[in-house]
Amino acid sequence: MIVELQCLASPAGTPDDPYKHIDAAIGVVQGSGLKYEVGALGTTVEGEPDEVWPLMRQVHEACLNAGAMGLVTVIKVEQTAQAGGPTIDSLTGKFREADDGD
């Protein structure tokens, strides 16, 4: 299963830490142990449904727990009936710049 989450916290953070509430949500994803990629407008997470569904709620609530006054979370879900299915790498790998070690 792959999901993309976009947390639209209001406000996104504080004057001293402009993305504090969003960073709290990303921190939950980082602590999950699941494969993820942070993008400019959302975070993609890959894992088993029993791991990903509860994580989506935790990510959403992390913004509120960090102090956001309001929140809309946009969630896209990709899942297949059979095991396997698309992965983050299979969908976006060919678009990444090669790491040449510089």
Side-chain angles (χ1 to χ4, degrees):
M1 166 182 252
I2 298 174
V3 301
E4 182 180 60
L5 300 106
Q6 180 186 30
C7 294
L8 303 168
S10 178
T14 64
D16 293 334
D17 190 353
Y19 298 102
K20 176 183 177 184
H21 308 140
I22 304 304
D23 289 347
I26 294 170
V28 170
V29 173
Q30 290 173 316
S32 72
L34 298 178
K35 181 173 181 140
Y36 70 93
E37 283 188 4
V38 176
L41 298 175
T43 299
T44 305
V45 180
E46 178 182 314
E48 294 299 318
D50 287 343
E51 298 170 310
V52 176
W53 286 111
L55 179 66
M56 287 188 277
R57 180 177 180 175
Q58 293 167 11
V59 168
H60 176 85
E61 291 176 348
C63 289
L64 297 171
N65 293 338
M69 299 302 294
L71 175 64
V72 172
T73 299
V74 179
I75 299 171
K76 296 181 201 176
V77 177
E78 165 77 27
Q79 184 177 5
T80 60
Q82 301 102 354
T87 64
I88 292 172
D89 290 334
S90 72
L91 293 174
T92 61
K94 66 183 177 184
F95 299 106
R96 292 191 194 105
E97 293 182 31
D99 181 10
D100 59 9
D102 291 336

PDB file of all heavy atoms in Angstrom, residues 35-37 87-99:
ATOM      1  N   LYS A  35       8.934   2.839   4.929  1.00  0.00           N
ATOM      2  CA  LYS A  35       9.604   3.569   3.853  1.00  0.00           C
ATOM      3  C   LYS A  35       8.776   4.808   3.553  1.00  0.00           C
ATOM      4  O   LYS A  35       7.550   4.741   3.473  1.00  0.00           O
ATOM      5  CB  LYS A  35       9.728   2.694   2.605  1.00  0.00           C
ATOM      6  CG  LYS A  35      10.437   3.397   1.483  1.00  0.00           C
ATOM      7  CD  LYS A  35      10.713   2.481   0.324  1.00  0.00           C
ATOM      8  CE  LYS A  35      11.453   3.290  -0.720  1.00  0.00           C
ATOM      9  NZ  LYS A  35      12.502   2.546  -1.353  1.00  0.00           N
ATOM     10  N   TYR A  36       9.456   5.953   3.364  1.00  0.00           N
ATOM     11  CA  TYR A  36       8.742   7.203   3.087  1.00  0.00           C
ATOM     12  C   TYR A  36       9.622   8.132   2.282  1.00  0.00           C
ATOM     13  O   TYR A  36      10.847   7.970   2.237  1.00  0.00           O
ATOM     14  CB  TYR A  36       8.305   7.891   4.378  1.00  0.00           C
ATOM     15  CG  TYR A  36       9.454   8.450   5.172  1.00  0.00           C
ATOM     16  CD1 TYR A  36       9.865   9.772   5.004  1.00  0.00           C
ATOM     17  CD2 TYR A  36      10.161   7.664   6.066  1.00  0.00           C
ATOM     18  CE1 TYR A  36      10.933  10.285   5.724  1.00  0.00           C
ATOM     19  CE2 TYR A  36      11.230   8.158   6.780  1.00  0.00           C
ATOM     20  CZ  TYR A  36      11.610   9.476   6.601  1.00  0.00           C
ATOM     21  OH  TYR A  36      12.679   9.983   7.297  1.00  0.00           O
ATOM     22  N   GLU A  37       8.977   9.102   1.648  1.00  0.00           N
ATOM     23  CA  GLU A  37       9.664  10.195   0.968  1.00  0.00           C
ATOM     24  C   GLU A  37       8.902  11.473   1.271  1.00  0.00           C
ATOM     25  O   GLU A  37       7.688  11.534   1.092  1.00  0.00           O
ATOM     26  CB  GLU A  37       9.686   9.997  -0.545  1.00  0.00           C
ATOM     27  CG  GLU A  37      10.692   8.999  -1.022  1.00  0.00           C
ATOM     28  CD  GLU A  37      10.817   8.961  -2.537  1.00  0.00           C
ATOM     29  OE1 GLU A  37      10.166   9.783  -3.233  1.00  0.00           O
ATOM     30  OE2 GLU A  37      11.557   8.098  -3.025  1.00  0.00           O
ATOM     31  N   THR A  87       5.338   0.314  -5.882  1.00  0.00           N
ATOM     32  CA  THR A  87       6.147   0.794  -4.765  1.00  0.00           C
ATOM     33  C   THR A  87       6.546   2.235  -5.063  1.00  0.00           C
ATOM     34  O   THR A  87       6.411   2.705  -6.201  1.00  0.00           O
ATOM     35  CB  THR A  87       7.419  -0.057  -4.589  1.00  0.00           C
ATOM     36  OG1 THR A  87       8.242   0.104  -5.750  1.00  0.00           O
ATOM     37  CG2 THR A  87       7.096  -1.521  -4.368  1.00  0.00           C
ATOM     38  N   ILE A  88       7.060   2.916  -4.062  1.00  0.00           N
ATOM     39  CA  ILE A  88       7.551   4.277  -4.279  1.00  0.00           C
ATOM     40  C   ILE A  88       8.608   4.263  -5.380  1.00  0.00           C
ATOM     41  O   ILE A  88       8.561   5.069  -6.312  1.00  0.00           O
ATOM     42  CB  ILE A  88       8.117   4.868  -2.976  1.00  0.00           C
ATOM     43  CG1 ILE A  88       6.991   5.102  -1.957  1.00  0.00           C
ATOM     44  CG2 ILE A  88       8.871   6.168  -3.265  1.00  0.00           C
ATOM     45  CD1 ILE A  88       7.471   5.511  -0.569  1.00  0.00           C
ATOM     46  N   ASP A  89       9.543   3.327  -5.293  1.00  0.00           N
ATOM     47  CA  ASP A  89      10.621   3.273  -6.276  1.00  0.00           C
ATOM     48  C   ASP A  89      10.110   2.961  -7.677  1.00  0.00           C
ATOM     49  O   ASP A  89      10.587   3.531  -8.655  1.00  0.00           O
ATOM     50  CB  ASP A  89      11.675   2.243  -5.862  1.00  0.00           C
ATOM     51  CG  ASP A  89      12.482   2.686  -4.654  1.00  0.00           C
ATOM     52  OD1 ASP A  89      12.613   3.906  -4.431  1.00  0.00           O
ATOM     53  OD2 ASP A  89      12.981   1.808  -3.932  1.00  0.00           O
ATOM     54  N   SER A  90       9.145   2.057  -7.794  1.00  0.00           N
ATOM     55  CA  SER A  90       8.660   1.707  -9.128  1.00  0.00           C
ATOM     56  C   SER A  90       7.896   2.853  -9.778  1.00  0.00           C
ATOM     57  O   SER A  90       7.857   2.963 -10.998  1.00  0.00           O
ATOM     58  CB  SER A  90       7.785   0.444  -9.085  1.00  0.00           C
ATOM     59  OG  SER A  90       6.520   0.701  -8.491  1.00  0.00           O
ATOM     60  N   LEU A  91       7.306   3.715  -8.968  1.00  0.00           N
ATOM     61  CA  LEU A  91       6.539   4.832  -9.526  1.00  0.00           C
ATOM     62  C   LEU A  91       7.380   6.073  -9.789  1.00  0.00           C
ATOM     63  O   LEU A  91       7.082   6.832 -10.709  1.00  0.00           O
ATOM     64  CB  LEU A  91       5.382   5.190  -8.585  1.00  0.00           C
ATOM     65  CG  LEU A  91       4.299   4.128  -8.447  1.00  0.00           C
ATOM     66  CD1 LEU A  91       3.298   4.540  -7.387  1.00  0.00           C
ATOM     67  CD2 LEU A  91       3.603   3.880  -9.772  1.00  0.00           C
ATOM     68  N   THR A  92       8.414   6.310  -8.976  1.00  0.00           N
ATOM     69  CA  THR A  92       9.155   7.570  -9.112  1.00  0.00           C
ATOM     70  C   THR A  92      10.648   7.410  -9.319  1.00  0.00           C
ATOM     71  O   THR A  92      11.329   8.397  -9.591  1.00  0.00           O
ATOM     72  CB  THR A  92       8.937   8.458  -7.872  1.00  0.00           C
ATOM     73  OG1 THR A  92       9.432   7.774  -6.717  1.00  0.00           O
ATOM     74  CG2 THR A  92       7.474   8.794  -7.680  1.00  0.00           C
ATOM     75  N   GLY A  93      11.170   6.202  -9.193  1.00  0.00           N
ATOM     76  CA  GLY A  93      12.606   5.987  -9.277  1.00  0.00           C
ATOM     77  C   GLY A  93      13.242   6.526 -10.538  1.00  0.00           C
ATOM     78  O   GLY A  93      14.329   7.111 -10.497  1.00  0.00           O
ATOM     79  N   LYS A  94      12.588   6.376 -11.667  1.00  0.00           N
ATOM     80  CA  LYS A  94      13.199   6.812 -12.930  1.00  0.00           C
ATOM     81  C   LYS A  94      13.297   8.332 -13.052  1.00  0.00           C
ATOM     82  O   LYS A  94      13.998   8.847 -13.902  1.00  0.00           O
ATOM     83  CB  LYS A  94      12.434   6.240 -14.124  1.00  0.00           C
ATOM     84  CG  LYS A  94      11.026   6.767 -14.269  1.00  0.00           C
ATOM     85  CD  LYS A  94      10.325   6.093 -15.438  1.00  0.00           C
ATOM     86  CE  LYS A  94       8.898   6.548 -15.558  1.00  0.00           C
ATOM     87  NZ  LYS A  94       8.205   5.846 -16.620  1.00  0.00           N
ATOM     88  N   PHE A  95      12.613   9.058 -12.164  1.00  0.00           N
ATOM     89  CA  PHE A  95      12.645  10.514 -12.210  1.00  0.00           C
ATOM     90  C   PHE A  95      13.658  11.136 -11.256  1.00  0.00           C
ATOM     91  O   PHE A  95      13.848  12.332 -11.242  1.00  0.00           O
ATOM     92  CB  PHE A  95      11.249  11.084 -11.915  1.00  0.00           C
ATOM     93  CG  PHE A  95      10.236  10.637 -12.905  1.00  0.00           C
ATOM     94  CD1 PHE A  95       9.292   9.686 -12.557  1.00  0.00           C
ATOM     95  CD2 PHE A  95      10.227  11.136 -14.198  1.00  0.00           C
ATOM     96  CE1 PHE A  95       8.341   9.252 -13.482  1.00  0.00           C
ATOM     97  CE2 PHE A  95       9.289  10.714 -15.119  1.00  0.00           C
ATOM     98  CZ  PHE A  95       8.345   9.771 -14.766  1.00  0.00           C
ATOM     99  N   ARG A  96      14.282  10.309 -10.434  1.00  0.00           N
ATOM    100  CA  ARG A  96      15.268  10.826  -9.475  1.00  0.00           C
ATOM    101  C   ARG A  96      16.603  11.035 -10.170  1.00  0.00           C
ATOM    102  O   ARG A  96      16.993  10.241 -11.024  1.00  0.00           O
ATOM    103  CB  ARG A  96      15.442   9.848  -8.324  1.00  0.00           C
ATOM    104  CG  ARG A  96      14.212   9.749  -7.464  1.00  0.00           C
ATOM    105  CD  ARG A  96      14.535   8.988  -6.187  1.00  0.00           C
ATOM    106  NE  ARG A  96      13.290   8.627  -5.571  1.00  0.00           N
ATOM    107  CZ  ARG A  96      12.767   7.400  -5.573  1.00  0.00           C
ATOM    108  NH1 ARG A  96      13.406   6.416  -6.123  1.00  0.00           N
ATOM    109  NH2 ARG A  96      11.608   7.163  -4.996  1.00  0.00           N
ATOM    110  N   GLU A  97      17.287  12.060  -9.753  1.00  0.00           N
ATOM    111  CA  GLU A  97      18.632  12.307 -10.260  1.00  0.00           C
ATOM    112  C   GLU A  97      19.553  11.254  -9.679  1.00  0.00           C
ATOM    113  O   GLU A  97      19.455  10.910  -8.503  1.00  0.00           O
ATOM    114  CB  GLU A  97      19.105  13.700  -9.866  1.00  0.00           C
ATOM    115  CG  GLU A  97      18.318  14.798 -10.534  1.00  0.00           C
ATOM    116  CD  GLU A  97      18.839  16.174 -10.156  1.00  0.00           C
ATOM    117  OE1 GLU A  97      20.043  16.312  -9.906  1.00  0.00           O
ATOM    118  OE2 GLU A  97      18.022  17.095 -10.127  1.00  0.00           O
ATOM    119  N   ALA A  98      20.453  10.759 -10.495  1.00  0.00           N
ATOM    120  CA  ALA A  98      21.421   9.764 -10.026  1.00  0.00           C
ATOM    121  C   ALA A  98      22.371  10.399  -9.031  1.00  0.00           C
ATOM    122  O   ALA A  98      22.810  11.527  -9.213  1.00  0.00           O
ATOM    123  CB  ALA A  98      22.191   9.194 -11.203  1.00  0.00           C
ATOM    124  N   ASP A  99      22.650   9.686  -7.967  1.00  0.00           N
ATOM    125  CA  ASP A  99      23.616  10.153  -6.972  1.00  0.00           C
ATOM    126  C   ASP A  99      24.995   9.733  -7.456  1.00  0.00           C
ATOM    127  O   ASP A  99      25.345   8.567  -7.431  1.00  0.00           O
ATOM    128  CB  ASP A  99      23.299   9.534  -5.607  1.00  0.00           C
ATOM    129  CG  ASP A  99      24.251   9.996  -4.529  1.00  0.00           C
ATOM    130  OD1 ASP A  99      25.037  10.918  -4.770  1.00  0.00           O
ATOM    131  OD2 ASP A  99      24.180   9.428  -3.423  1.00  0.00           O
TER     132      ASP A  99
END
